Amino acid sequence: MTELAIVESRADRASVHICDQLRALAEWDERVDDDRPDADGGGTYYRLEGVELRSFEAFHLDLERPVDAFDCDPELLVFASRHSGETGPLLTGHFTGNFGPAEFGGADHAVAEACPNALATLLEAFETYAPDGYDVGLECTHHGPTDVGCPSLFAELGSDDAQWDDPEGAEAVARAILELRGVSAHRERTVVGFGGNHYVPRFERLVRETPWAVGHVGADWALEAMGHPNAHTAVLEAAFEASNTELAVIDGEWPVLEQTLEEAGYRLVSETWVREVGDRSLESVGAVESTLGTVEDGVRFGDRCGDQFAVYSLADALLNRAEGIDPDRVRAAVAANSVAFETTQGGSRIGSRVALPTPAAESYRAIVESLATILEDRYETVTVEDDAIVAKRVSFDPDLARGAGVPEGPKFGMLANGESVTVDGTRIDPERVRTEEIDVFDI
């Protein structure tokens, strides 16, 4: 089981209230450490299976290597803390570090090891336990400490005196922290974030709405404090290493940063990419993007899985005709039978190439038959043959109507709608001015 360390700061009354709630929520084993000063995590401390809680005199952000005080060899450390700001009742979490100069603890241009999977779990637990009237949020990387000794995060109760003294808010944070027992620090699907404001709504959406986690986030103000990216590649590289990923999402326009990261070998992906990839095999995603094209180029993923696929071309005439009838059903048919497919017009239309799981012929035939069904909305008969779809319909023929003496205008419309008309005392039925139309779509 992952060993969890919890840090209480006696200089932070919200931290004390959260830890009081922690002590009340479980049957802790109370122990005494006489080898370490009481101010530095010694004295009375508390143990549960897989959890250790120690108290320190200093503020959290001034602590360096607090992990050394713990007996349990922690794999994850949580600072129970207050949150300060004009944000109203708020439960929030974040990682620590300074992309620029250190103004509130830690070292300049340094970050602590993050725990993206644990932070995603914490936010989910906050949603479960938050009292009425409390919001839940994610913050960018800020303040110290930067040398913790193991992956860590801040779990915070905010944002003012009323909340710091609120037992319900403190209990919510305490319960959320206990949900981190046995939780791994890292997750395979993680991105680093750059840009955005302090409360990083784009990255919070990714954590809440996708299987992906977010590691360190350098908000706009932190990037400005950092200075020119080329002069501070060390802290940028540290943010990736501490988050255990080589992928980044950038919120906003940071062209010099983008160039610096790409030259350093990191991959920049979009929010669309993260959402499209979801929980799909990253090996399969890589194979699709190297064969069919990238998400940025318009490739979208279908409902079928698998690393083995073949690229087929859909018949343009058939595809265009079906999309002219019902583009949503066309997209659903292609997605249901493909690993991935091209799109055009900003992703709103299906492109001609699709990646089909092997044996691909079966999937291709399923798409063709689905498109044929869509054609039935506009044709009387639709027949799927070996190499073509033959679609037949009887439709109003303007030339036959003119030949019958029908003047162009409202009577044309009546005949087209299947109504009889009278011209100079002669009744003309719609069947008289119809022609059978046959469309053949090669497949």
Side-chain angles (χ1 to χ4, degrees):
M1 175 182 288
T2 300
E3 291 287 338
L4 172 64
I6 303 172
V7 171
E8 173 184 20
S9 167
R10 296 194 293 273
D12 176 353
R13 71 175 190 270
S15 179
V16 172
H17 292 153
I18 293 167
C19 292
D20 283 344
Q21 292 290 339
L22 279 165
R23 287 182 279 264
L25 286 170
E27 296 293 331
W28 296 82
D29 180 17
E30 185 174 316
R31 302 181 182 182
V32 176
D33 180 355
D34 292 325
D35 296 328
R36 177 174 289 273
D38 182 72
D40 297 330
T44 301
Y45 69 101
Y46 302 86
R47 285 282 302 169
L48 282 176
E49 183 180 0
V51 189
E52 186 171 317
L53 168 61
R54 287 183 179 253
S55 181
F56 297 76
E57 189 67 35
F59 275 114
H60 308 90
L61 51 81
D62 293 322
L63 297 174
E64 292 298 329
R65 290 201 64 82
V67 72
D68 292 341
F70 290 82
D71 292 335
C72 65
D73 192 19
E75 298 169 72
L76 176 63
L77 185 145
V78 177
F79 296 92
S81 174
R82 75 187 184 194
H83 170 73
S84 300
E86 298 179 358
T87 48
L90 178 68
L91 308 182
T92 183
H94 68 88
F95 304 126
T96 59
N98 303 298
F99 283 90
E103 297 183 6
F104 301 101
D108 296 342
H109 307 292
V111 295
E113 184 175 356
C115 45
N117 184 61
L119 182 56
T121 303
L122 180 75
L123 292 183
E124 185 177 356
F126 277 165
E127 288 288 353
T128 299
Y129 297 119
D132 291 342
Y134 275 79
D135 290 325
V136 173
L138 175 67
E139 295 179 82
C140 68
T141 297
H142 62 294
H143 68 62
T146 52
D147 183 12
V148 175
C150 74
S152 64
L153 60 80
F154 267 62
E156 299 186 346
L157 171 63
S159 301
D160 210 336
D161 293 275
Q163 289 79 47
W164 300 337
D165 295 329
D166 177 16
E168 290 187 356
E171 180 181 347
V173 177
R175 289 186 179 277
I177 290 173
L178 288 176
E179 293 290 334
L180 298 180
R181 287 182 289 185
V183 172
S184 298
H186 293 285
R187 183 182 296 185
E188 179 187 20
R189 296 168 192 276
T190 297
V191 297
V192 168
F194 294 103
N197 63 34
H198 185 89
Y199 292 96
V200 297
R202 165 163 285 175
F203 302 110
E204 183 178 340
R205 287 197 305 270
L206 293 181
V207 173
R208 289 176 181 268
E209 299 171 8
T210 78
W212 288 74
V214 174
H216 278 292
V217 178
D220 287 344
W221 66 264
L223 296 177
E224 291 168 359
M226 178 182 71
H228 198 287
N230 287 342
H232 298 289
T233 55
V235 69
L236 295 174
E237 292 171 357
F240 285 94
E241 182 178 357
S243 304
N244 198 32
T245 187
E246 295 185 349
L247 302 175
V249 173
I250 295 183
D251 185 1
E253 299 296 325
W254 293 92
V256 176
L257 174 64
E258 292 180 15
Q259 181 179 352
T260 300
L261 295 178
E262 288 176 336
E263 289 176 351
Y266 299 108
R267 181 176 179 186
L268 307 184
V269 297
S270 64
E271 180 178 349
T272 299
W273 186 91
V274 173
R275 292 182 180 277
E276 276 296 315
V277 170
D279 59 0
R280 292 174 176 84
S281 160
L282 296 181
E283 182 178 353
S284 177
V285 169
V288 166
E289 290 199 302
S290 64
T291 304
L292 193 63
T294 67
V295 170
E296 285 73 16
D297 292 333
V299 167
R300 298 293 181 263
F301 291 94
D303 300 336
R304 302 291 296 275
C305 299
D307 299 333
Q308 301 299 318
F309 57 85
V311 175
Y312 271 51
S313 293
L314 299 174
D316 289 337
L318 172 61
L319 187 63
N320 292 337
R321 185 68 185 105
E323 286 203 302
I325 297 171
D326 193 332
D328 291 337
R329 287 171 61 195
V330 171
R331 190 184 191 95
V334 173
N337 294 285
S338 69
V339 174
F341 51 92
E342 292 179 330
T343 67
T344 62
Q345 299 182 30
S348 64
R349 292 282 179 157
I350 302 295
S352 61
R353 297 198 306 155
V354 292
L356 303 179
T358 54
E362 295 179 7
S363 299
Y364 182 74
R365 191 70 177 183
I367 292 175
V368 168
E369 290 177 351
S370 295
L371 298 183
T373 300
I374 295 171
L375 295 183
E376 291 175 357
D377 289 355
R378 294 291 186 273
Y379 293 88
E380 276 75 24
T381 63
V382 178
T383 304
V384 181
E385 300 180 350
D386 290 339
D387 57 357
I389 292 177
V390 179
K392 299 179 180 180
R393 62 182 171 183
V394 177
S395 59
F396 171 69
D397 188 329
D399 290 335
L400 290 179
R402 293 188 191 95
V406 180
E408 293 188 30
K411 291 184 178 182
F412 264 39
M414 294 173 65
L415 289 167
N417 291 330
E419 302 176 35
S420 299
V421 299
T422 300
V423 178
D424 297 330
T426 301
R427 175 189 172 95
I428 299 175
D429 295 321
E431 292 77 13
R432 180 179 169 185
V433 292
R434 287 181 176 175
T435 298
E436 183 179 64
E437 177 184 346
I438 301 176
D439 289 330
V440 178
F441 302 97
D442 293 331
I443 57 175

